């Protein structure tokens, strides 16, 4: 298996994602929020690249069973039902609903990876499910796309990519590109202190300033959700339980 890490969506090329399994990582917070919403009973999620795409899609759907969520600069968008805080996505609110989600970097990275055979939404909270799934890829390549921040490097996403690699390499021989080797090294430097990492990284400090300190703690709970969100044809359907090895 070959594992490649792209630290920003700006590095996505057709060759890097086409026909491959792509793990998209946005620890703070889109991928964590998606895992939360699904685990609380949301029936499907449509990640979209822009606010305009979200509002026009929602206009064609039954509003009684559809939620519009997302953020700009970390804050809920005017007229949207929900922001991008995982804590907002309670069972009471999301159960049996379709969620259309537009976030600045996370859902955009998902849209930009659309040539992939399969997109796996990845964060610390559902790490175990993602790694179990990726471990079954046999000879297939895995491309890990870090959503980053405004097309720039984000430490928390790189460390999360490194954790995927570290766990996968325990059981598998893998060829790593330079990005994957660097991500693994960053993970090793931070493995004992994921919560502190999320508090200290740039976007974590920004979110704390907005009053979202609790989100940082939620997003740092490694393996707290057993959920495998797969994007197929632009939609994340009802998640299936991860297959056992
Ligand atoms: C994003 O997609 O840029 C993020 O998830 C931003 C956030 O809400 O923290």
């Amino acid at each position: 298996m070959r594992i490649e890490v792209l630290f920003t969506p700006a590095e996505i090329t057709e060759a890097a994602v086409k026909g491959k399994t792509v793990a998209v990582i946005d620890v703070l917070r889109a991928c964590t929020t998606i895992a939360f919403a699904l685990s609380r009973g949301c029936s499907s999620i449509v990640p979209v690249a822009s606010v305009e795409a979200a509002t026009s899609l929602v206009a064609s759907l039954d509003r009684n069973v559809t939620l519009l969520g997302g953020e700009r600069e970390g804050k809920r968008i005017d007229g949207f039902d929900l922001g991008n805080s995982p804590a907002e996505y309670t069972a009471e609110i999301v159960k049996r609903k379709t969620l259309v989600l537009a976030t600045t970097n996370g859902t955009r990275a998902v849209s930009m990876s659309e040539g992939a055979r399969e997109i796996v939404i990845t964060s610390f909270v559902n790490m175990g499910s993602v790694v179990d799934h990726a471990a079954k890829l046999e000879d297939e390549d895995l491309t890990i796309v870090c959503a980053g921040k405004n097309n720039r490097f984000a430490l928390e996403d790189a460390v999360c990519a490194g954790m995927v690699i570290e766990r996968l390499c325990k059981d598998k021989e893998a060829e790593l590109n330079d990005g994957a080797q660097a991500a693994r090294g960053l993970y090793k430097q931070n493995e004992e202190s994921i919560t502190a990492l999320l508090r200290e990284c740039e976007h974590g400090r920004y979110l704390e300033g907005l009053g979202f300190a609790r989100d940082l703690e939620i997003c740092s709970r490694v393996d707290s959700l057993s959920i495998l969100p797969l994007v197929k044809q632009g939609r994340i359907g009802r998640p299936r339980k991860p297959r056992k090895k």
Side-chain angles (χ1 to χ4, degrees):
M1 157 181 239
R2 180 178 155 82
I3 308 177
E4 193 160 88
V5 171
L6 312 182
F7 286 119
T8 74
E11 293 168 60
I12 296 174
T13 58
E14 197 183 336
V17 297
K18 196 167 175 200
K20 301 208 174 136
T21 293
V22 174
V24 172
I25 298 180
D26 184 15
V27 170
L28 297 176
R29 295 166 290 174
C31 292
T32 307
T33 295
I34 289 170
F36 259 78
L38 291 170
S39 72
R40 301 271 145 81
C42 184
S43 53
S44 74
I45 300 179
V46 186
V48 295
S50 68
V51 174
E52 296 69 34
T55 47
S56 78
L57 176 59
V58 157
S60 68
L61 300 173
D62 177 357
R63 272 315 247 132
N64 294 315
V65 288
T66 308
L67 292 167
L68 182 54
E71 59 65 47
R72 280 296 176 265
E73 297 179 357
K75 299 171 220 158
R76 182 164 60 84
I77 298 159
D78 274 352
F80 276 39
D81 305 312
L82 296 158
N84 190 30
S85 174
E88 289 176 84
Y89 289 76
T90 60
E92 203 180 18
I93 293 174
V94 303
K95 205 160 191 176
R96 287 189 278 276
K97 298 274 170 66
T98 291
L99 168 68
V100 176
L101 186 66
T103 73
T104 311
N105 302 286
T107 60
R108 177 173 167 267
V110 172
S111 298
M112 289 175 73
S113 305
E114 69 182 3
R117 184 182 67 79
E118 173 177 86
I119 300 172
V120 188
I121 301 295
T122 305
S123 64
F124 286 122
V125 296
N126 69 331
M127 174 63 57
S129 305
V130 171
V131 171
D132 286 351
H133 183 70
K136 295 183 186 74
L137 292 174
E138 303 293 339
D139 294 330
E140 289 169 46
D141 294 345
L142 174 68
T143 300
I144 303 178
V145 172
C146 297
K149 189 165 176 172
N150 302 331
N151 272 334
R152 298 181 70 179
F153 178 88
L155 183 58
E156 69 281 12
D157 292 343
V159 170
C160 186
M163 189 179 218
V164 173
I165 294 160
E166 180 66 13
R167 287 195 180 183
L168 270 176
C169 289
K170 285 213 157 73
D171 294 328
K172 271 179 110 75
E173 287 275 309
E175 183 193 330
L176 307 181
N177 82 336
D178 284 357
Q181 290 185 51
R184 193 177 186 184
L186 286 169
Y187 167 65
K188 285 187 174 161
Q189 275 176 30
N190 288 280
E191 63 185 322
E192 302 302 334
S193 54
I194 300 299
T195 312
L197 165 79
L198 295 194
R199 281 203 207 104
E200 284 156 21
C201 67
E202 217 173 300
H203 194 55
R205 283 183 275 127
Y206 176 74
L207 289 172
E208 187 153 20
L210 290 181
F212 290 122
R214 182 157 171 251
D215 284 1
L216 305 183
E217 192 271 313
I218 292 173
C219 294
S220 73
R221 290 182 200 156
V222 178
D223 294 331
S224 56
L225 300 176
S226 172
I227 204 136
L228 185 64
L230 299 177
V231 186
K232 292 204 168 142
Q233 289 159 345
R235 174 179 290 264
I236 306 164
R238 281 215 65 79
R240 48 193 169 83
K241 287 263 177 211
R243 287 174 289 167
K244 290 270 175 255
K245 264 190 249 176

Short mmCIF file of all heavy atoms in Angstrom, two decimals, residues 29 70-77 84 102-105 149-150 203 206-207 210 212:
data_model
loop_
_atom_site.label_atom_id
_atom_site.label_comp_id
_atom_site.label_asym_id
_atom_site.label_seq_id
_atom_site.Cartn_x
_atom_site.Cartn_y
_atom_site.Cartn_z
N ARG A 29 -13.61 21.92 12.42
CA ARG A 29 -14.40 20.98 13.15
C ARG A 29 -15.27 20.14 12.22
O ARG A 29 -16.03 19.29 12.68
CB ARG A 29 -15.35 21.76 14.09
CG ARG A 29 -14.65 22.57 15.18
CD ARG A 29 -15.56 23.55 15.85
NE ARG A 29 -15.91 24.65 14.93
CZ ARG A 29 -16.79 25.60 15.19
NH1 ARG A 29 -17.44 25.59 16.34
NH2 ARG A 29 -17.04 26.56 14.32
N GLY A 70 -23.61 25.12 8.83
CA GLY A 70 -22.30 25.54 8.32
C GLY A 70 -21.80 26.80 8.98
O GLY A 70 -22.45 27.38 9.85
N GLU A 71 -20.61 27.18 8.56
CA GLU A 71 -19.98 28.37 9.17
C GLU A 71 -19.20 29.18 8.15
O GLU A 71 -18.82 28.68 7.10
CB GLU A 71 -19.07 27.95 10.32
CG GLU A 71 -17.92 26.99 9.96
CD GLU A 71 -16.85 27.47 9.04
OE1 GLU A 71 -16.33 28.59 9.24
OE2 GLU A 71 -16.49 26.74 8.09
N ARG A 72 -18.98 30.40 8.52
CA ARG A 72 -17.96 31.23 7.91
C ARG A 72 -17.23 31.90 9.06
O ARG A 72 -17.88 32.38 10.01
CB ARG A 72 -18.56 32.29 6.95
CG ARG A 72 -18.93 31.70 5.58
CD ARG A 72 -17.70 31.20 4.82
NE ARG A 72 -17.99 30.53 3.54
CZ ARG A 72 -18.13 29.22 3.37
NH1 ARG A 72 -18.04 28.39 4.40
NH2 ARG A 72 -18.34 28.71 2.17
N GLU A 73 -15.91 31.85 9.03
CA GLU A 73 -15.07 32.35 10.12
C GLU A 73 -15.46 31.72 11.45
O GLU A 73 -15.43 32.36 12.50
CB GLU A 73 -15.09 33.88 10.17
CG GLU A 73 -14.51 34.46 8.88
CD GLU A 73 -14.52 35.97 8.82
OE1 GLU A 73 -15.03 36.59 9.75
OE2 GLU A 73 -14.00 36.49 7.83
N GLY A 74 -15.90 30.47 11.39
CA GLY A 74 -16.23 29.72 12.60
C GLY A 74 -17.63 30.00 13.14
O GLY A 74 -18.08 29.32 14.06
N LYS A 75 -18.32 30.99 12.56
CA LYS A 75 -19.63 31.36 13.12
C LYS A 75 -20.77 30.90 12.20
O LYS A 75 -20.59 30.82 10.99
CB LYS A 75 -19.72 32.89 13.26
CG LYS A 75 -18.68 33.45 14.19
CD LYS A 75 -18.66 34.97 14.11
CE LYS A 75 -17.24 35.48 14.15
NZ LYS A 75 -17.03 36.77 13.60
N ARG A 76 -21.92 30.64 12.84
CA ARG A 76 -23.09 30.23 12.06
C ARG A 76 -23.41 31.28 11.00
O ARG A 76 -23.31 32.48 11.26
CB ARG A 76 -24.30 30.02 12.99
CG ARG A 76 -25.54 29.56 12.26
CD ARG A 76 -26.58 28.99 13.23
NE ARG A 76 -27.02 29.96 14.21
CZ ARG A 76 -27.99 30.86 14.00
NH1 ARG A 76 -28.61 30.92 12.84
NH2 ARG A 76 -28.32 31.70 14.96
N ILE A 77 -23.79 30.81 9.83
CA ILE A 77 -24.09 31.72 8.72
C ILE A 77 -25.51 32.24 8.90
O ILE A 77 -26.42 31.48 9.26
CB ILE A 77 -23.95 30.96 7.38
CG1 ILE A 77 -22.49 30.46 7.23
CG2 ILE A 77 -24.37 31.82 6.19
CD1 ILE A 77 -22.31 29.31 6.26
N ASN A 84 -21.34 25.09 13.10
CA ASN A 84 -20.45 23.96 12.86
C ASN A 84 -19.87 23.42 14.16
O ASN A 84 -18.76 22.92 14.19
CB ASN A 84 -19.33 24.39 11.90
CG ASN A 84 -18.50 23.22 11.42
OD1 ASN A 84 -19.00 22.11 11.29
ND2 ASN A 84 -17.22 23.46 11.14
N ALA A 102 -22.20 23.36 4.79
CA ALA A 102 -21.20 24.17 4.05
C ALA A 102 -20.22 24.75 5.05
O ALA A 102 -20.59 25.62 5.86
CB ALA A 102 -21.90 25.29 3.29
N THR A 103 -18.98 24.30 5.00
CA THR A 103 -17.97 24.89 5.88
C THR A 103 -16.81 25.42 5.02
O THR A 103 -16.64 25.01 3.88
CB THR A 103 -17.45 23.88 6.93
OG1 THR A 103 -16.60 22.93 6.30
CG2 THR A 103 -18.59 23.18 7.66
N THR A 104 -16.03 26.28 5.62
CA THR A 104 -15.02 26.99 4.83
C THR A 104 -13.99 26.06 4.20
O THR A 104 -13.69 26.16 3.01
CB THR A 104 -14.28 28.00 5.73
OG1 THR A 104 -15.26 28.76 6.46
CG2 THR A 104 -13.41 28.94 4.92
N ASN A 105 -13.47 25.16 5.00
CA ASN A 105 -12.38 24.30 4.50
C ASN A 105 -12.76 22.82 4.39
O ASN A 105 -12.41 22.16 3.43
CB ASN A 105 -11.16 24.42 5.42
CG ASN A 105 -10.68 25.86 5.54
OD1 ASN A 105 -10.09 26.41 4.61
ND2 ASN A 105 -10.97 26.50 6.67
N LYS A 149 -6.34 25.30 6.59
CA LYS A 149 -7.08 26.54 6.83
C LYS A 149 -6.78 27.52 5.70
O LYS A 149 -5.63 27.93 5.53
CB LYS A 149 -6.68 27.12 8.19
CG LYS A 149 -7.56 28.27 8.61
CD LYS A 149 -7.41 28.61 10.09
CE LYS A 149 -8.27 29.84 10.39
NZ LYS A 149 -8.38 30.19 11.76
N ASN A 150 -7.78 27.83 4.94
CA ASN A 150 -7.64 28.76 3.82
C ASN A 150 -6.45 28.40 2.92
O ASN A 150 -5.61 29.24 2.61
CB ASN A 150 -7.52 30.20 4.33
CG ASN A 150 -8.72 30.58 5.16
OD1 ASN A 150 -9.82 30.06 4.94
ND2 ASN A 150 -8.54 31.45 6.16
N HIS A 203 -6.00 27.40 14.81
CA HIS A 203 -7.46 27.42 14.71
C HIS A 203 -8.12 27.13 16.06
O HIS A 203 -9.19 27.66 16.37
CB HIS A 203 -7.94 26.44 13.63
CG HIS A 203 -9.39 26.66 13.26
ND1 HIS A 203 -9.88 27.87 12.83
CD2 HIS A 203 -10.45 25.82 13.31
CE1 HIS A 203 -11.18 27.77 12.62
NE2 HIS A 203 -11.56 26.54 12.91
N TYR A 206 -8.22 30.30 17.90
CA TYR A 206 -9.25 31.16 17.31
C TYR A 206 -10.64 30.73 17.82
O TYR A 206 -11.45 31.58 18.24
CB TYR A 206 -9.17 31.07 15.78
CG TYR A 206 -10.27 31.83 15.08
CD1 TYR A 206 -10.24 33.23 15.02
CD2 TYR A 206 -11.34 31.16 14.49
CE1 TYR A 206 -11.27 33.94 14.40
CE2 TYR A 206 -12.35 31.86 13.86
CZ TYR A 206 -12.32 33.24 13.82
OH TYR A 206 -13.33 33.94 13.20
N LEU A 207 -10.89 29.42 17.80
CA LEU A 207 -12.21 28.94 18.23
C LEU A 207 -12.43 29.21 19.72
O LEU A 207 -13.54 29.58 20.13
CB LEU A 207 -12.35 27.44 17.95
CG LEU A 207 -12.49 27.05 16.48
CD1 LEU A 207 -12.42 25.53 16.31
CD2 LEU A 207 -13.79 27.58 15.87
N LEU A 210 -13.67 32.51 20.23
CA LEU A 210 -15.09 32.69 19.87
C LEU A 210 -16.02 32.08 20.91
O LEU A 210 -17.24 32.15 20.78
CB LEU A 210 -15.39 32.02 18.52
CG LEU A 210 -14.81 32.63 17.25
CD1 LEU A 210 -15.26 31.80 16.03
CD2 LEU A 210 -15.25 34.07 17.06
N PHE A 212 -15.73 28.69 21.84
CA PHE A 212 -15.96 27.28 21.53
C PHE A 212 -14.95 26.35 22.21
O PHE A 212 -14.57 25.32 21.65
CB PHE A 212 -15.91 27.07 20.01
CG PHE A 212 -17.07 27.65 19.26
CD1 PHE A 212 -16.85 28.59 18.26
CD2 PHE A 212 -18.37 27.27 19.53
CE1 PHE A 212 -17.91 29.13 17.54
CE2 PHE A 212 -19.45 27.80 18.81
CZ PHE A 212 -19.22 28.73 17.82
#
